[in-house]
């Protein structure tokens, strides 16, 4: 009975989410290839592209205390997706469906910011 119950409990935790769900401080990366990096005073905006999706992260130059960070990505014709909060190293990843569509992205970390025009067209 234990051999069945433990995997079910672990699977339920993954599906329902644990304490790290929504935490941009967790080590996470976008899938696909790195398509563009936009450096700015306090960090970098990374944009990744896979066949159907585009993804963005904002990474601080230096880890440290929690500070305001945000990253946004939008596919042309779609709504923007944003991760905003106080993080130590990274905001995001945020992902949009971008099959045959241009995207634009922006990021800000402690007053520094960067943005792109429409890219990956």
């Amino acid at each position: 009975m234990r051999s069945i119950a433990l995997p079910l409990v672990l699977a339920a935790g993954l599906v329902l989410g644990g304490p790290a769900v929504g935490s941009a401080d967790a080590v996470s990366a976008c899938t696909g290839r790195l398509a563009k990096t936009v450096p700015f005073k306090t960090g970098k905006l990374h944009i990744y592209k896979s066949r159907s999706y585009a993804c963005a992260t904002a990474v601080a130059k230096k880890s440290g205390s929690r500070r305001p960070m945000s990253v946004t990505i939008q596919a042309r014709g779609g709504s923007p997706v944003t991760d905003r909060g106080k993080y130590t190293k990274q905001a995001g990843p945020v992902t949009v469906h971008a099959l045959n569509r241009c995207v634009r992205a922006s990021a800000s970390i402690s007053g520094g910011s960067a943005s792109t025009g429409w890219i990956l067209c």
Side-chain angles (χ1 to χ4, degrees):
M1 184 70 164
R2 274 189 192 194
S3 63
I4 296 173
L6 184 59
L8 290 176
V9 170
L10 291 175
L14 290 174
V15 170
L16 297 176
V21 169
S23 171
D25 287 335
V27 175
S28 58
C30 296
T31 59
R33 65 176 175 81
L34 180 61
K36 187 164 185 82
T37 298
V38 182
F40 56 100
K41 182 179 176 182
T42 54
K44 292 181 181 179
L45 168 62
H46 296 287
I47 300 114
Y48 296 82
K49 180 75 168 112
S50 66
R51 183 180 184 285
S52 301
Y53 293 91
C55 179
T57 60
V59 181
K61 279 188 177 178
K62 297 179 184 177
S63 292
S65 60
R66 291 187 174 272
R67 56 197 179 266
M69 294 186 193
S70 70
V71 62
T72 301
I73 191 166
Q74 179 181 10
R76 188 171 292 206
S79 298
V81 178
T82 301
D83 179 27
R84 178 177 291 121
K86 290 190 174 187
Y87 304 117
T88 58
K89 182 66 178 169
Q90 173 182 313
V94 289
T95 304
V96 293
H97 188 266
L99 182 64
N100 298 323
R101 296 196 292 178
C102 303
V103 298
R104 65 181 172 188
S106 63
S108 76
I109 299 172
S110 299
S113 64
S115 62
T116 67
W118 293 107
I119 59 171
L120 308 180
C121 297

